[in-house]
Amino acid sequence: MTNTNEGVSQTEKFKRVPTHIGIIPDGNRRWALSHEMAKHEGYAHGIDPGMRLVELCAAYGVKEATFYAFTVDNTKRASAQIEAYTAACVKAVEAAANRDYNIMALGNEDSRFFPSKLSEYANKRVNYGNGVLNINFLVNYSWKWDLSHIDGSGMSPGAVEKAVASHDIPRIDLIIRWGGRRRLSGFLPVQSVYADFFVVDDYWPDFRDEHFLDALRWYQDCDVTLGG
Amino acid sequence: MTNTNEGVSQTEKFKRVPTHIGIIPDGNRRWALSHEMAKHEGYAHGIDPGMRLVELCAAYGVKEATFYAFTVDNTKRASAQIEAYTAACVKAVEAAANRDYNIMALGNEDSRFFPSKLSEYANKRVNYGNGVLNINFLVNYSWKWDLSHIDGSGMSPGAVEKAVASHDIPRIDLIIRWGGRRRLSGFLPVQSVYADFFVVDDYWPDFRDEHFLDALRWYQDCDVTLGG
């Protein structure tokens, strides 16, 4: 059991901190190409940024972080890429486990693309230590798979949030996307309905603490209305 | 029948134009306050911008535009505001009808908040003239209402798009939101999954052609991947 806040000192106070952050760590392949590597070599460089980000979340009082690890759409890519992002995803989960974080891997586990090494985390939360942060990894996730669990016959609209496959993941307050693209790409459509959306132009492997702090600086002045 | 492109000359060429644009015309109340009016007085100033925008869409080859008129969440507001946005919504639909646009009002019509004057457009498209543009108005819409129509028992995930209440509205390529907020606020979660998101800081009543053109300039260089 290691200290979750290793090397992170909270140096800035915010008026308001998001409870739950969604992370879209995009740009691994473009980063690799810009470093004269093959596309698939980018993913391994996305693990350390993820660990640093969860340490920052814990230090600044964020309670939950959900990472867009890989999707069913992504499984149509070249096999070298599939192997590389699957390995990176497993390593990221293993790096986060056995600390003070609770871990869940959410996605379609009835598929050969769901890594067997993550089956103990599949669609259930495994708690560790003081559980200062819930970390969810979307693994072989698909928004269509998620929503197709809604069985609306006779359902009141208010029950929709509890009917999706991802019902254990609560509403997201802030989504941060790296790599410059300004879209959700199928990331948890139900939990994202009221989320504020912050885009970092840098690629994910170029993560810096300042990206996270910029997002929190921006978020503290967003006016939360929940559609009202 | 009037000419739909009145006063619009297409002066700029784009590499790629979105087929379907989502419009979140936010900031009417803040605009009113900044002009020393009561909040509800802002909505009436949002009708002409909408007409201008659809003329621009038609002139530049956009095929469909969906406006976030008002939501079930919005019906919790003060009654003066409800009356004002309902009146503005009816006027906007009437202004768009009897031209070369096909019109639909999509939302929960089994409610007193759905304006009876729009019942002929309720959840079905009414075609006019040459139908150069489909215009959809979300009227008393709610994302929970929309998704609660999914009856997932035995459904394949691929059928989700056809199962929502809004199944007649296709995938959105570009969402433009006025008023500076960077969130979807429950706007068509299924159709928005792959949409690129462009935010205009100005309030909706301050609409200028340049906002639309800026969005198209930005969009033409977005790399469309549909999650792949």
Side-chain angles (χ1 to χ4, degrees):
Chain A
M1 199 69 61
T2 58
N3 185 321
T4 53
N5 295 349
E6 265 177 77
V8 178
S9 54
Q10 188 187 340
T11 53
E12 192 167 338
K13 293 284 175 199
F14 295 98
K15 285 181 278 185
R16 193 170 59 100
V17 168
T19 301
H20 183 187
I21 294 186
I23 308 292
I24 305 182
D26 195 25
N28 296 283
R29 295 185 296 172
R30 287 174 283 160
W31 181 90
L33 292 177
S34 74
H35 286 73
E36 298 181 5
M37 299 177 187
K39 279 183 180 178
H40 72 272
E41 295 180 276
Y43 297 113
H45 295 266
I47 302 169
D48 288 346
M51 281 309 296
R52 179 66 184 174
L53 180 54
V54 296
E55 288 167 3
L56 287 164
C57 284
Y60 280 88
V62 175
K63 298 301 180 196
E64 188 146 5
T66 298
F67 285 85
Y68 211 10
F70 73 89
T71 67
V72 172
D73 286 334
N74 298 154
T75 63
K76 296 160 196 157
R77 292 182 182 167
S79 60
Q81 289 179 40
I82 297 175
E83 286 164 26
Y85 70 61
T86 302
C89 177
V90 170
K91 276 194 183 169
V93 173
E94 288 173 347
N98 293 305
R99 295 179 180 237
D100 280 332
Y101 309 133
N102 304 323
I103 314 269
M104 177 163 62
L106 192 131
N108 183 1
E109 62 178 307
D110 301 329
S111 153
R112 64 189 172 93
F113 292 111
F114 194 99
S116 57
K117 285 184 179 167
L118 300 185
S119 53
E120 71 174 291
Y121 306 99
N123 302 307
K124 62 176 185 292
R125 188 163 282 126
V126 178
N127 295 334
Y128 291 104
N130 295 321
V132 295
L133 182 72
N134 285 348
I135 308 178
N136 312 308
F137 296 89
L138 301 190
V139 173
N140 199 43
Y141 173 85
S142 142
W143 64 272
K144 290 182 180 178
W145 167 82
D146 195 3
L147 298 184
S148 70
H149 284 70
I150 298 172
D151 180 2
S153 43
M155 174 192 283
S156 85
V160 159
E161 282 162 294
K162 289 293 160 209
V164 291
S166 60
H167 55 82
D168 283 335
I169 300 183
R171 191 177 68 224
I172 294 173
D173 304 300
L174 170 65
I175 294 170
I176 313 178
R177 181 171 185 146
W178 277 259
R181 289 176 178 153
R182 299 178 180 269
R183 56 190 181 234
L184 291 176
S185 302
F187 181 76
L188 291 172
V190 161
Q191 289 85 347
S192 300
V193 288
Y194 301 125
D196 285 299
F197 191 45
F198 188 86
V199 176
V200 176
D201 285 329
D202 290 338
Y203 300 139
W204 171 247
D206 286 328
F207 173 84
R208 290 182 290 110
D209 290 6
E210 209 58 18
H211 297 156
F212 172 80
L213 295 171
D214 279 345
L216 258 56
R217 284 172 198 135
W218 174 76
Y219 178 77
Q220 68 180 336
D221 292 317
C222 288
D223 175 32
V224 174
T225 61
L226 301 181
Chain B
M1 197 71 59
T2 58
N3 186 322
T4 54
N5 296 348
E6 265 175 81
V8 178
S9 54
Q10 188 187 338
T11 53
E12 193 167 337
K13 294 282 175 200
F14 295 98
K15 284 181 280 185
R16 193 169 60 98
V17 168
T19 301
H20 183 187
I21 294 186
I23 308 292
I24 305 182
D26 194 26
N28 296 283
R29 295 185 296 172
R30 287 174 283 160
W31 181 91
L33 292 177
S34 75
H35 285 73
E36 299 180 4
M37 298 176 189
K39 279 184 180 178
H40 72 271
E41 295 180 276
Y43 297 112
H45 295 266
I47 301 169
D48 289 346
M51 280 310 296
R52 179 66 185 174
L53 180 54
V54 296
E55 288 167 3
L56 287 164
C57 284
Y60 280 88
V62 175
K63 298 301 179 197
E64 188 146 4
T66 298
F67 286 84
Y68 212 9
F70 74 90
T71 67
V72 172
D73 286 335
N74 298 154
T75 63
K76 296 159 195 157
R77 292 182 182 167
S79 60
Q81 289 179 40
I82 297 174
E83 286 163 26
Y85 70 61
T86 302
C89 177
V90 170
K91 276 194 182 167
V93 172
E94 288 173 347
N98 293 305
R99 296 180 179 236
D100 280 334
Y101 310 133
N102 304 323
I103 314 267
M104 178 163 63
L106 192 131
N108 182 1
E109 62 178 307
D110 301 329
S111 153
R112 65 188 171 93
F113 291 111
F114 193 99
S116 57
K117 285 184 179 169
L118 299 185
S119 54
E120 72 173 290
Y121 306 100
N123 301 306
K124 61 175 186 290
R125 188 163 281 127
V126 178
N127 296 333
Y128 292 103
N130 294 322
V132 296
L133 181 73
N134 285 348
I135 308 178
N136 312 307
F137 296 88
L138 301 190
V139 173
N140 199 42
Y141 173 86
S142 142
W143 64 272
K144 291 182 181 178
W145 166 82
D146 194 4
L147 299 184
S148 69
H149 284 70
I150 298 173
D151 181 2
S153 43
M155 173 192 284
S156 85
V160 160
E161 282 162 294
K162 290 293 159 209
V164 291
S166 60
H167 55 81
D168 283 335
I169 300 184
R171 191 176 68 226
I172 293 172
D173 303 300
L174 169 66
I175 294 171
I176 314 177
R177 180 171 186 146
W178 276 259
R181 288 176 179 154
R182 299 176 181 269
R183 55 189 183 235
L184 292 176
S185 303
F187 181 75
L188 292 171
V190 161
Q191 289 85 347
S192 300
V193 288
Y194 301 125
D196 286 299
F197 191 45
F198 188 86
V199 175
V200 176
D201 285 330
D202 290 337
Y203 300 139
W204 171 246
D206 286 330
F207 174 85
R208 291 182 289 111
D209 290 6
E210 209 57 18
H211 297 155
F212 172 80
L213 295 172
D214 280 345
L216 258 54
R217 284 173 197 133
W218 173 76
Y219 178 78
Q220 68 180 336
D221 292 318
C222 290
D223 174 33
V224 174
T225 62
L226 300 182

